[in-house]
Amino acid sequence: MKKSRRIGSKIFMGVLMLFFYAPIIYTIFFSFNSGRSLTHFDGFSLQWYGKMFSDSNMLQAVFYTIVIAVIATAVSTIVGTITAIGLSKSHRILKLIVEQVNNFPLMNPDIVTAIGLLMLFSGLHASKGFVTMLLAHIMFCIPYVMLSVTPKLKSLDSNILEAAMDLGCTPMQALIKVIVPQIMPGVVSGALIAFTMSFDDFVISYFVTGNGVSNISILVYTMSKRVNPSINALSTLIIVIISVFLLLVNIVPSLYNKSKAKSAKG
Amino acid sequence: MKSFRKMTYPYVVWISFIVVAPMFLILLYAFTKEGNAVMDFVFTLDNFKKFFVDSVFIDVLLRSLRVALVTTVLCILIGYPAGYFIAKSSEGVKMRWVLLITFPTWINMLVRTYAWVGILQDDGIVNNILSIIGVRSITLLHTEFAVILGMVYNFLPFMILQIYTALTKMDNSLLEAAADLGADRVRSFLKVTLPLSLPGVLSGITLVFLPAVSSFFIPKLLGGGQYVMVGNLIESQFLTSGDWNFGSAISLIMVIIIMISLYLTKKVDKTELTERRAN
């Protein structure tokens, strides 16, 4: 009876994985289709990859997605970390207020944040495009960075900072040499979250952009109205890049630890 | 370190402009008449009246709530056993399962949802399999079924991970104690495991219901142009018909519904906690 239960749960998890991975496999499979159809495989070809690299709209969208994600991550990581540090030394009320305001973009549906920004930018007569999209991305990335840095700050021993200043550090030196190295894991994971949030964003970008500036998500959305198999090629490329990245992130540290353990033994 | 406090000032200025001001704009537009001149606004409730008087809009709201609710229930029904299975796996296998569940979420949501368009088409793979078995082909794409499927697909990982996290935090000796005291498997599950995993289920509900009720690209891609949910309604007010006042009012109604449901789940969490303590 126990055995049958184990087989049952294995089948359940197998079906679940099929459900999760079928669309991904489907996308990869049809990116090599020689026809336009998304349902009939006519034969193997790389034509959609060729089309993708000659499609200026697509290349531009990829370019904007990466540039915005990189700048938004850099800015939000720096600003978020600095603010979180300042906040940890600030009055409780200020802490509470900033926390509550940060919760707006985190808890509100994206579409509400998006229309708010749309009205703000229009009210300021800002021309919608690259800059508005970048500002919006910085706006929703900072709370994630602060959320991942703040717990690290809380667990910090304040005596170490005082010791550093007693030994003659200026506050700035103490900040860079004492605080920042200790909260680095939080900063790095915050930056990672910010990058993926920016890279994957659709709703907010869709509302605040204009003048032909679009990212990958917007491109997929607008292209879905007429079948364009180049999307599959682009998606496959993204899937491969993310797989390699995740593999590196997950495997390299364990390999590193293993080799360290070995060298420690030897 | 008083000198550090100054480091928060730029951010406080920034959020007042880019987070607080837009929220005020939504409130302002929701309660004023058409015309974008901020200086001569007139207070009105017409935007809300328009929503609640017309049955078309009420239908859209009810449809969104229904779809989000069905999605959430399905996510619990599928996500609970999955999270339970992973939490009970051995240490090394556990991380591998978590990675398998999270991996798809790293890929762009639109890209993954778009793939279902091909799979569900009339001459797509699902209908092909059905015809091999001998079942007449059925329309799948542009139905409510497709929309719910797309939502479960996108939001299920959140539910699984929340339940898994709650279950791994659980102290296994509690189960041993329950067994020692004579509880069978079913009873110890109902009396020990289930209550202790409830906070995970509740935060999972928030993570599924909230994006489901406000989603607008899943209904657009999988439901077709005819299938309208609240998100699509808001989108069309802002991007096609240009009625920002009405659009703001709809957003406000949606936010209030979400806030009520968040409050209710929090309340369940709290009463459950106090009850457990009382026992």
Side-chain angles (χ1 to χ4, degrees):
Chain A
M1 160 144 181
K2 206 166 180 189
K3 208 171 181 186
S4 74
R5 191 185 288 139
R6 209 177 297 148
I7 290 169
S9 51
K10 281 229 169 92
I11 291 173
F12 174 74
M13 290 308 278
V15 172
L16 196 64
M17 288 304 122
L18 189 68
F19 176 58
F20 278 145
Y21 285 91
I24 296 170
I25 295 163
Y26 197 86
T27 303
I28 297 172
F29 188 68
F30 276 92
S31 72
F32 297 112
N33 193 1
S34 60
R36 284 197 77 83
S37 168
L38 288 176
T39 51
H40 290 286
F41 197 75
D42 300 324
F44 180 86
S45 110
L46 289 172
Q47 64 156 322
W48 300 115
Y49 287 87
K51 288 229 167 80
M52 172 180 76
F53 285 114
S54 58
D55 185 338
S56 65
N57 274 338
M58 215 168 240
L59 294 179
Q60 212 172 37
V62 173
F63 173 77
Y64 280 132
T65 308
I66 293 171
V67 169
I68 286 181
V70 168
I71 300 177
T73 305
V75 174
S76 61
T77 306
I78 293 167
V79 175
T81 307
I82 289 175
T83 312
I85 293 172
L87 220 52
S88 70
K89 307 287 175 200
S90 297
H91 198 271
R92 217 168 45 106
I93 294 175
L94 185 68
K95 262 188 217 173
L96 213 70
I97 294 173
V98 173
E99 213 170 88
Q100 285 306 313
V101 176
N102 268 351
N103 265 340
F104 275 126
L106 293 177
M107 296 303 284
N108 265 343
D110 277 353
I111 197 168
V112 176
T113 312
I115 59 158
L117 286 172
L118 167 79
M119 291 195 284
L120 178 77
F121 290 140
S122 304
L124 295 171
H125 301 290
S127 84
K128 294 200 289 173
F130 183 80
V131 177
T132 50
M133 199 155 129
L134 180 61
L135 287 176
H137 280 229
I138 292 171
M139 173 246 171
F140 70 70
C141 283
I142 292 176
Y144 288 106
V145 175
M146 289 176 67
L147 221 54
S148 114
V149 171
T150 308
K152 292 272 177 261
L153 282 166
K154 272 187 188 147
S155 62
L156 223 61
D157 187 352
S158 61
N159 290 328
I160 299 174
L161 184 66
E162 271 164 34
M165 309 235 319
D166 282 349
L167 291 170
C169 265
T170 63
M172 214 45 202
Q173 282 175 322
L175 182 74
I176 293 166
K177 297 208 167 179
V178 179
I179 298 183
V180 172
Q182 291 188 78
I183 58 171
M184 215 45 194
V187 176
V188 171
S189 69
L192 263 175
I193 298 170
F195 187 86
T196 52
M197 283 295 158
S198 167
F199 195 83
D200 279 347
D201 180 66
F202 165 63
V203 179
I204 294 173
S205 307
Y206 179 61
F207 276 86
V208 300
T209 193
N211 297 321
V213 177
S214 52
N215 63 8
I216 295 171
S217 304
I218 298 172
L219 191 84
V220 173
Y221 186 69
T222 47
M223 274 189 170
S224 62
K225 281 160 194 161
R226 49 194 169 79
V227 176
N228 184 340
S230 300
I231 297 178
N232 290 334
L234 179 64
S235 306
T236 304
L237 213 61
I238 296 172
I239 292 167
V240 169
I241 291 169
I242 291 172
S243 316
V244 170
F245 173 75
L246 279 181
L247 229 64
L248 286 178
V249 166
N250 283 289
I251 286 176
V252 169
S254 68
L255 284 179
Y256 177 74
N257 287 340
K258 250 185 209 162
S259 70
K260 224 168 53 177
K262 255 186 203 162
S263 66
K265 256 185 210 164
Chain B
M1 291 324 101
K2 280 194 177 153
S3 56
F4 287 169
R5 289 187 187 172
K6 286 189 199 122
M7 302 193 315
T8 55
Y9 298 164
Y11 187 63
V12 171
V13 175
W14 161 259
I15 48 175
S16 344
F17 267 105
I18 207 152
V19 183
V20 180
M23 295 298 129
F24 271 110
L25 282 175
I26 294 176
L27 277 177
L28 183 77
Y29 274 94
F31 287 105
T32 50
K33 271 197 169 58
E34 232 174 302
N36 295 343
V38 182
M39 284 308 140
D40 48 55
F41 57 82
V42 190
F43 177 84
T44 175
L45 288 173
D46 285 356
N47 303 313
F48 295 93
K49 218 186 275 165
K50 184 174 169 189
F51 187 88
F52 287 110
V53 164
D54 199 330
S55 66
V56 174
F57 299 132
I58 296 293
D59 282 349
V60 170
L61 182 66
L62 290 178
R63 182 182 301 136
S64 305
L65 290 174
R66 183 179 66 226
V67 167
L69 207 68
V70 172
T71 302
T72 311
V73 171
L74 284 174
C75 282
I76 296 173
L77 291 180
I78 304 168
Y80 201 97
Y84 188 85
F85 176 82
I86 298 171
K88 297 290 166 205
S89 308
S90 59
E91 229 27 73
V93 185
K94 227 182 239 182
M95 283 332 285
R96 224 169 289 157
W97 278 116
V98 171
L99 196 67
L100 272 173
I101 304 275
T102 36
F103 177 73
T105 63
W106 281 67
I107 298 160
N108 194 305
M109 255 190 197
L110 276 112
V111 165
R112 284 180 294 138
T113 310
Y114 183 71
W116 282 107
V117 175
I119 296 175
L120 295 176
Q121 252 163 35
D122 285 346
D123 55 350
I125 189 162
V126 174
N127 269 319
N128 280 337
I129 291 170
L130 285 180
S131 71
I132 290 168
I133 304 169
V135 181
R136 204 158 44 89
S137 80
I138 34 173
T139 312
L140 295 165
L141 194 63
H142 298 175
T143 60
E144 190 159 297
F145 168 79
V147 176
I148 293 173
L149 181 103
M151 290 199 178
V152 171
Y153 179 75
N154 276 302
F155 307 136
L156 181 59
F158 304 143
M159 181 67 85
I160 295 178
L161 292 175
Q162 290 300 320
I163 292 171
Y164 156 77
T165 315
L167 284 172
T168 39
K169 274 189 203 148
M170 201 179 84
D171 190 351
N172 273 328
S173 55
L174 289 173
L175 287 178
E176 284 161 24
D180 285 348
L181 293 169
D184 57 17
R185 283 179 65 108
V186 177
R187 203 172 152 81
S188 71
F189 174 79
L190 288 177
K191 290 280 174 187
V192 180
T193 311
L194 195 62
L196 284 175
S197 61
L198 202 66
V201 177
L202 289 172
S203 53
I205 290 175
T206 324
L207 288 177
V208 172
F209 184 80
L210 193 138
V213 82
S214 63
S215 166
F216 80 93
F217 68 83
I218 296 173
K220 191 94 154 217
L221 285 180
L222 298 175
Q226 256 33 61
Y227 195 87
V228 179
M229 282 178 55
V230 174
N232 307 96
L233 204 59
I234 298 173
E235 183 209 357
S236 64
Q237 296 310 314
F238 279 91
L239 298 181
T240 44
S241 64
D243 190 347
W244 291 9
N245 304 83
F246 188 43
S248 299
I250 303 170
S251 315
L252 212 57
I253 294 167
M254 188 174 77
V255 168
I256 288 167
I257 289 171
I258 287 171
M259 268 159 54
I260 292 171
S261 46
L262 282 184
Y263 172 77
L264 288 178
T265 46
K266 266 204 188 117
K267 213 176 154 190
V268 171
D269 205 2
K270 264 191 197 135
T271 48
E272 186 63 34
L273 270 179
T274 45
E275 260 173 31
R276 219 181 297 151
R277 249 180 232 136
N279 288 338

